[in-house]
C-alpha cells in the first residue's frame, strides 16, 4: 500500500519525530511505499491566499473556495499545493503525525489542510462523508500531548480525546470521505521516563502493525439526510 505521512514537529529529534521515523522504517520494511511531507523541514507555507491561484475567476474579490474549484479544474493551483495533492491522491493510508497544540493540530498543519484539501477536487456540494472525494482511503492521527490519559477521558477535565479531535477526525478526514481509524495518542510525553517513552514507541509500532483489525470511527452517511441535509427522520 501507499502510505503518506504528513508530519508537523519543529524538532527532528523530538519524540513525535521518533514516532514518524518508526512508522517510516516499519512500513518500508514491510514492503509498503512511504512518502513523508515533513512540514517544518519543507518550510511549508500554511497561509491560504490569492497567491495560491494561477488564474482568478474574480480578480476583484477573493472567494477562496470558488477559486480553489476553478483553479483545480484548470490545473492552475500553486505548485506546492499540486505536489501535495499528487501524494494525497496516490495514498491508501494517510497519517497525520503531530504534537497536540491547543487541543488541535499545529498551525502549519492546519494550513496544509486549508490549502491542500481543495474544494472541487477533494470534496464539494454533496460530495462529502460517504460520498466524499477521498472515499476508500484510510486516515490515522498519531499524536503526542502533555496531558494525561484520564484528563482526556469522557469524564476527565478536558473531555474525551475523540471529541477534542473532532474537527480533524470528522470535520476534515471524515468530511472528505476517508475511513477514519481511532487515533493513537502518546499521553504525557515530556514528563515520562525514557523507558516509559520507549514503551509507548513500541505500542505505536504494534498499533500500526494491527491497523487492519481496527474498527473505524462511525461517520455520518448522506443516506440519512435529505437534499437540504435535514435528517430524514424529522
Ligand atoms: P519532546 O519534548 O520532543 O520529547 C520528549 C522527550 O522524549 C525528549 O527528552 C526527547 O529527547 C525524548 N525522546 C526523543 N526520542 C525518543 C525515543 N525514541 N525514545 C524515548 N524518548 C525519546 N498538550 C496538551 O495535552 N494539550 C494541549 O492543548 C497542548 N497544547 C500545546 C500548545 C503548544 C503551543 C505547545 C508548544 C505544546 C502544547 N501541548 C499541549 C504539549 C505538547 O503536546 C507536548 O509537549 C508534545 O506533544 C510532546 O511531544 P514532543 O514530541 O514535542 O516531545
Amino acid at each position: 500500500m501507499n502510505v503518506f505521512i504528513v508530519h508537523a514537529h519543529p524538532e527532528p529529534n523530538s519524540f513525535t519525530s521518533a514516532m514518524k521515523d518508526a512508522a517510516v522504517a516499519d512500513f518500508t520494511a514491510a514492503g509498503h511505499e512511504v512518502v513523508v511531507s515533513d512540514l517544518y523541514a519543507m518550510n511549508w507555507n500554511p497561509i491560504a491566499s490569492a497567491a495560491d491561484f494561477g488564474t482568478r475567476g474574480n480578480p476583484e474579490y477573493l472567494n477562496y473556495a470558488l477559486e480553489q474549484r476553478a483553479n483545480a479544474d484548470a490545473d492552475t493551483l500553486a505548485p506546492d499545493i499540486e505536489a501535495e495533492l499528487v501524494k494525497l491522491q496516490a495514498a491508501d493510508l494517510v497519517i497525520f503525525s503531530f504534537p497536540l497544540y491547543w487541543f488541535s493540530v499545529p498551525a502549519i498543519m492546519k494550513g496544509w489542510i486549508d490549502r491542500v484539501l481543495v474544494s472541487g477536487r477533494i470534496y464539494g456540494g454533496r460530495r462529502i462523508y460517504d460520498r466524499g472525494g477521498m472515499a476508500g482511503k484510510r486516515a490515522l492521527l498519531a499524536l503526542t500531548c502533555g496531558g494525561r490519559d484520564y484528563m482526556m477521558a469522557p469524564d476527565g477535565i478536558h473531555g474525551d480525546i475523540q471529541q477534542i479531535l473532532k474537527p480533524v477526525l470528522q470535520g476534515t478526514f471524515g468530511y472528505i470521505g476517508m475511513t477514519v481509524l481511532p487515533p493513537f495518542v502518546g499521553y504525557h510525553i515530556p514528563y515520562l521516563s525514557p523507558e516509559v517513552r520507549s514503551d509507548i514507541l513500541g505500542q505505536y509500532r504494534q498499533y500500526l502493525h494491527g491497523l487492519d483489525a481496527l474498527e473505524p470511527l462511525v461517520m455520518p452517511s448522506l443516506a440519512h439526510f435529505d437534499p437540504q441535509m435535514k435528517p430524514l427522520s424529522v
Side-chain angles (χ1 to χ4, degrees):
M1 90 181 144
N2 292 334
V3 182
F4 179 27
I5 302 177
V6 183
H7 176 69
H9 199 294
E11 169 54 59
N13 294 314
S14 65
F15 184 76
T16 312
S17 300
M19 283 174 55
K20 178 262 295 174
D21 293 341
V24 172
D26 288 3
F27 279 123
T28 304
H32 301 296
E33 291 293 323
V34 185
V35 172
V36 178
S37 283
D38 185 340
L39 300 182
Y40 285 99
M42 292 159 68
N43 201 21
W44 170 258
N45 168 24
I47 300 172
S49 78
D52 293 345
F53 308 120
T55 59
R56 286 287 292 278
N58 181 353
E60 309 297 327
Y61 185 99
L62 178 62
N63 181 318
Y64 194 81
L66 286 182
E67 297 293 353
Q68 279 186 318
R69 266 179 247 169
N71 280 263
D73 287 347
D75 288 328
T76 48
L77 291 164
D80 61 342
I81 296 174
E82 275 297 353
E84 294 306 296
L85 280 167
V86 169
K87 299 176 204 172
L88 178 64
Q89 290 181 305
D92 303 301
L93 170 68
V94 177
I95 299 178
F96 261 30
S97 159
F98 62 97
L100 191 69
Y101 278 6
W102 296 110
F103 281 27
S104 188
V105 296
I108 197 169
M109 184 171 257
K110 180 59 167 56
W112 187 96
I113 293 169
D114 294 347
R115 297 182 67 227
V116 176
L117 302 185
V118 172
S119 176
R121 197 171 303 176
I122 303 296
Y123 74 96
R126 288 179 63 83
R127 278 179 69 227
I128 59 172
Y129 290 125
D130 47 344
R131 296 182 197 165
M134 295 291 102
K137 300 177 187 294
R138 294 188 292 177
L140 172 70
L141 305 188
L143 60 138
T144 57
C145 65
R148 292 181 181 272
D149 54 358
Y150 61 79
M151 296 174 171
M152 299 188 198
D155 61 351
I157 188 165
H158 304 312
D160 183 9
I161 186 68
Q162 291 196 16
Q163 285 302 314
I164 291 173
L165 296 170
K166 187 174 177 179
V168 189
L169 293 171
Q170 178 174 337
T172 305
F173 287 128
Y175 190 83
I176 64 175
M178 296 184 80
T179 299
V180 185
L181 300 173
F184 180 90
V185 188
Y187 291 100
H188 211 47
I189 291 301
Y191 314 106
L192 301 173
S193 67
E195 294 73 26
V196 175
R197 271 196 300 268
S198 289
D199 283 351
I200 292 175
L201 199 56
Q203 289 164 22
Y204 181 51
R205 299 180 105 129
Q206 285 299 315
Y207 200 80
L208 294 180
H209 197 68
L211 280 189
D212 291 347
L214 293 176
E215 193 66 37
L217 304 184
V218 175
M219 293 291 154
S221 167
L222 263 64
H224 301 139
F225 297 85
D226 75 9
Q228 280 75 47
M229 303 283 181
K230 288 185 186 153
L232 285 176
S233 54
V234 172

